[in-house]
Amino acid sequence: MKLNTDLEDGRPRLRLRVFGAVEAWSWTGESILPRGRKAQAILAYLAMCGEPTVPRRRLARLLWSTRWEEQARASLRQSLMELRRSIIAISPELLCIENDRVSLQIAKVWIDGIGGPTQVHRSICPLQQDPNTFLESLRGLDAAFDRWIDARLAASELSNDLLYSSRIVGKSAPATQFGDGASDDDFTTGQSEHPRTDRRSFG
């Protein structure tokens, strides 16, 4: 079958646009973008965080940071099911949802304006892209998710500055990858100010 051939030859199965309004297509051009913005945010995060497997706990904290634990888990479950329904039509193997973690085969994802996983790790905002449009349709979902977007942009600006400097002096720029040394709590700081989150713990 053609699907199996595509999976074996290493070609991407999913194409994602992250500048401007977020879009997602199969490699044949069929839209597979979930309708819910938080399901879209989960897809964007899984594709761009630089890790093949992400704890569900982290996703809950990024997108439901002001909810009680049970509410956050239930909302996350619904968004994951929506994302699964969107992706399963093109490749069931792309997304794996387990009790405590979620995995995306990032090697099978192509991001417009960036490329494959190697390019994502180096810089999420190439020089030809307007950084102000990065995930702009997903702004405002949660303060924690907005902080993650800002951190990605900050890392990207540093990466591009290093790349530009290396071209001037004729040297190779050191690799810059967002997420090195980052903990699950790096983008949820300050949440203890919310009265409902002081006693929240994600196991």
Side-chain angles (χ1 to χ4, degrees):
M1 294 178 61
K2 187 177 186 296
L3 173 61
N4 292 334
T5 301
D6 287 345
L7 290 173
E8 291 172 0
D9 66 15
R11 283 184 287 177
R13 300 296 302 158
L14 186 151
R15 177 183 166 195
L16 185 66
R17 183 171 74 183
V18 295
F19 292 95
V22 171
E23 296 286 351
W25 305 274
S26 68
W27 202 245
T28 58
E30 175 189 2
S31 176
I32 59 166
L33 186 71
R35 296 184 65 179
R37 291 173 67 219
K38 291 203 173 182
Q40 296 173 18
I42 292 171
L43 175 60
Y45 183 83
L46 292 174
M48 304 199 69
C49 71
E51 303 173 53
T53 301
V54 174
R56 291 176 69 139
R57 170 183 182 233
R58 185 191 304 170
L59 295 173
R61 286 181 168 179
L62 279 171
L63 290 164
W64 292 274
S65 64
T66 61
R67 299 279 189 90
W68 288 102
E69 175 185 356
E70 291 184 3
Q71 294 175 327
R73 288 184 181 276
S75 297
L76 173 61
R77 188 180 308 113
Q78 292 176 357
S79 291
L80 287 174
M81 292 303 101
E82 181 183 358
L83 180 58
R84 188 207 294 271
R85 287 193 297 269
S86 297
I87 289 181
I88 197 170
I90 62 166
S91 181
E93 298 87 356
L94 266 180
L95 183 69
C96 178
I97 300 174
E98 301 178 75
N99 289 336
D100 61 345
R101 67 196 68 193
V102 183
S103 303
L104 181 71
Q105 290 190 16
I106 54 177
K108 298 292 184 181
V109 178
W110 180 268
I111 303 175
D112 277 8
I114 298 176
T118 301
Q119 288 83 0
V120 171
H121 293 174
R122 291 175 56 190
S123 172
I124 59 94
C125 187
L127 297 174
Q128 69 269 25
Q129 297 290 347
D130 179 3
N132 293 323
T133 66
F134 176 60
L135 296 179
E136 65 177 350
S137 64
L138 299 181
R139 286 278 188 180
L141 288 173
D142 192 286
F145 192 73
D146 285 348
R147 284 193 290 272
W148 174 75
I149 294 176
D150 291 337
R152 290 292 304 184
L153 285 172
S156 173
E157 290 172 0
L158 174 60
S159 178
N160 284 336
D161 287 344
L162 291 171
L163 178 60
Y164 179 74
S165 298
S166 71
R167 288 172 176 170
I168 294 177
V169 301
K171 297 180 179 179
S172 297
T176 301
Q177 178 178 347
F178 167 79
D180 290 349
S183 71
D184 290 356
D185 298 319
D186 284 351
F187 309 105
T188 55
T189 56
Q191 292 174 11
S192 60
E193 297 175 1
H194 195 288
R196 290 180 296 172
T197 57
D198 287 339
R199 299 186 301 274
R200 189 187 70 238
S201 63
F202 290 87

